[in-house]
Amino acid sequence: MVVGRRHARSAGAFFVTARFLPYGRQWIDEADIAAVEQVLRGDWLTQGPSVGWFERAFAEKVGARHAIACANATAALHLCMLALNLEPDDAVVVPSVTFLATANAVRYVGAQVAFADVDPQSGLMRRQDAEDAIRRAEARGWRVRAVIPVHLAGQTADMAGLSALARERALSIVEDAAHAVGTHLTGPDGQKVAVGACDRSDLACFSFHPVKTMATGEGGMVTTNDDALARRIRVAVSHGMTRDPAEFSDTLAATAASGQPNPWYYEMGEIGLNYRMTDLQAALGLSQLSKLDAFVRARQTLVDAYDMALAPLAPVLRPAAKVPGVSAGWHLYVALIDFAALGLDRAAVMGRLRQDGVGSQVHYIPVHTQPYYRRLYGDLTLPGAQSWYHHCLSLPLYPAMSMTDHDRVVATLTRLIKG
């Protein structure tokens, strides 16, 4: 799958430049294409059986009781906020280093965002960061109801500390695991537990965007072990409709003369959304899920190679800190660069990389600095988030990368830093 290939002529010679390496991209093979083609040739492009098959396979893969597929990870987060019945003076703790969707989902239901700082070396929220955010929220008169740990780059936030805090304060935990498909934590008994098993949380949300560990085009998933939360989310994902006779309130309208439920009948007890996943996406997801372990291994191999090859570039460039006890399904490889010591700003570094066909990205601009949130809550000082933002740069990482591609990224960075 060669992309970005360009042809040029120089001194009468015809040559092909190296392909452009984006910071992330999907891996699609013939099995994936065949899976989608089978749906295209069938009867159900949406609202068919493939979504249920994908949900059951994903739940089994991560070890959760329930998995509910939806349109994307933003939808997954929104559905979770709805399921928690948040009210306007309720607050949810969200680390500032995340994508906009994590905080926005809280605002979609009218609740308040209590922004937390992060470890400047890993970008991850710690227990102390959440506690500080809770104190600030309570000083505003908010009632903190939940915490959303964000598993940045594929590594997990401090789930032991955060789950203990949640138990002490009767808080819900919703994992933003958009980056962590395929990540495992080592549990107290030494056994590996998949992110999504919800052993230390109420809910977990995943993304299947093309740059993530596995892809469905767009798409998301919520996992939980709570039957009531699963039911609320499953109803909300499709307009709030239910066809379950046990849940009908108007039994006269629902029932035929025979005593059986009318076959067309449904009820909407609560307003919902159209956040359904299509069968096309689910078919691709099932095929991708069968390769997830291989995708994770390929990413880990590249991360290990980066760590070794970039070590001589310290202290100007250092990899983001690794979290003990986490076997990451790496979504991103983040380098922390001292741009001042290098004598080049980040835009210049990204430009030089691009000239050599190497893509890069910044994950993320701290959400608390966005104009909307500054107008809403005023200025907030979160030094860990600001330090992370000022130094971070995501390098190419995806299963289709070859070691030759990896070596090109390293060589370009080495020329930039060593001269």
Side-chain angles (χ1 to χ4, degrees):
M1 292 180 288
V2 177
V3 295
R5 189 176 290 274
R6 298 179 289 113
H7 297 78
R9 292 187 182 274
S10 177
F14 186 77
F15 66 96
V16 180
T17 64
R19 64 177 181 172
F20 183 77
L21 305 176
Y23 85 87
R25 75 186 307 267
Q26 72 278 6
W27 174 295
I28 300 294
D29 62 17
E30 291 302 321
D32 297 321
I33 295 169
V36 175
E37 181 183 15
Q38 185 175 6
V39 173
L40 286 168
R41 295 183 184 280
D43 296 327
W44 299 92
L45 299 186
T46 190
Q47 295 182 265
S50 295
V51 174
W53 297 337
F54 182 35
E55 289 173 335
R56 288 188 288 276
F58 194 85
E60 182 178 357
K61 183 69 174 177
V62 302
R65 185 179 303 164
H66 303 281
I68 304 100
C70 54
N72 48 58
T74 305
L77 287 162
H78 187 191
L79 290 163
C80 290
M81 296 301 99
L82 288 169
L84 295 181
N85 288 318
L86 298 175
E87 297 179 355
D89 283 333
D90 290 340
V92 178
V93 175
V94 175
S96 189
V97 174
T98 185
F99 185 54
L100 300 170
T102 316
N104 290 353
V106 178
R107 295 297 298 147
Y108 293 161
V109 298
Q112 307 300 326
V113 181
F115 285 110
D117 207 356
V118 299
D119 181 341
Q121 303 305 314
S122 68
L124 296 163
M125 180 170 60
R126 301 156 294 190
R127 173 175 175 150
Q128 183 61 52
D129 300 320
E131 289 176 330
D132 291 344
I134 290 170
R135 279 193 289 271
R136 290 192 296 270
E138 290 176 340
R140 288 176 174 262
W142 299 340
R143 180 178 65 154
V144 178
R145 290 276 311 282
V147 180
I148 305 181
V150 174
H151 300 328
L152 186 69
Q155 299 198 102
T156 64
D158 176 16
M159 290 306 295
L162 292 170
S163 62
L165 176 64
R167 287 193 301 272
E168 293 166 14
R169 289 181 167 266
L171 306 176
S172 298
I173 291 186
V174 179
E175 297 176 74
D176 183 339
H179 292 193
V181 183
T183 292
H184 289 75
L185 273 169
T186 301
D189 58 358
Q191 296 297 311
K192 286 188 175 182
V193 179
V195 169
C198 297
D199 62 319
R200 296 177 179 178
S201 68
D202 300 277
L203 297 147
C205 302
F206 295 90
S207 171
F208 307 127
H209 185 277
V211 297
K212 300 302 196 314
T213 317
M214 55 173 279
T216 63
E218 287 278 0
M221 190 77 77
V222 179
T223 61
T224 184
N225 296 318
D226 187 306
D227 295 344
L229 288 174
R231 181 206 164 273
R232 290 208 69 200
I233 291 169
R234 193 169 294 284
V235 170
V237 81
S238 186
H239 303 283
M241 294 168 53
T242 180
R243 297 181 185 275
D244 183 352
E247 297 176 355
F248 293 160
S249 60
D250 190 342
T251 54
L252 182 62
T255 308
S258 65
Q260 296 300 308
N262 285 316
W264 69 86
Y265 191 78
Y266 58 85
E267 285 188 353
M268 188 189 82
E270 299 178 40
I271 194 166
L273 301 147
N274 184 358
Y275 277 168
R276 295 187 299 254
M277 175 179 280
T278 70
D279 280 57
L280 293 168
Q281 294 168 297
L284 178 55
L286 270 169
S287 182
Q288 290 268 297
L289 187 63
S290 70
K291 296 184 280 284
L292 177 59
D293 293 345
F295 289 160
V296 169
R297 286 193 298 271
R299 288 172 177 270
Q300 183 64 63
T301 296
L302 288 164
V303 166
D304 291 343
Y306 269 138
D307 284 349
M308 182 176 297
L310 295 175
L313 303 185
V316 174
L317 183 152
R318 296 172 290 106
K322 302 299 189 295
V323 178
V326 175
S327 177
W330 292 102
H331 163 47
L332 301 172
Y333 186 88
V334 182
L336 300 177
I337 301 175
D338 187 341
F339 295 103
L342 180 59
L344 292 170
D345 65 18
R346 183 162 48 197
V349 169
M350 293 177 76
R352 297 260 190 108
L353 289 169
R354 179 167 284 274
Q355 287 175 5
D356 281 3
V358 176
S360 57
Q361 190 52 274
V362 175
H363 296 91
Y364 293 98
I365 302 172
V367 184
H368 78 276
T369 67
Q370 293 295 336
Y372 170 84
Y373 287 107
R374 291 178 67 188
R375 288 194 303 270
L376 196 62
Y377 302 132
D379 291 328
L380 181 64
T381 300
L382 298 176
Q386 293 288 19
S387 177
W388 172 269
Y389 171 57
H390 289 313
H391 296 93
C392 67
L393 189 67
S394 298
L395 305 178
L397 181 69
Y398 48 94
M401 277 185 70
S402 67
M403 290 311 298
T404 300
D405 297 331
H406 161 272
D407 293 345
R408 179 149 62 93
V409 176
V410 171
T412 301
L413 285 167
T414 301
R415 285 195 300 271
L416 269 173
I417 292 172
K418 295 291 189 181

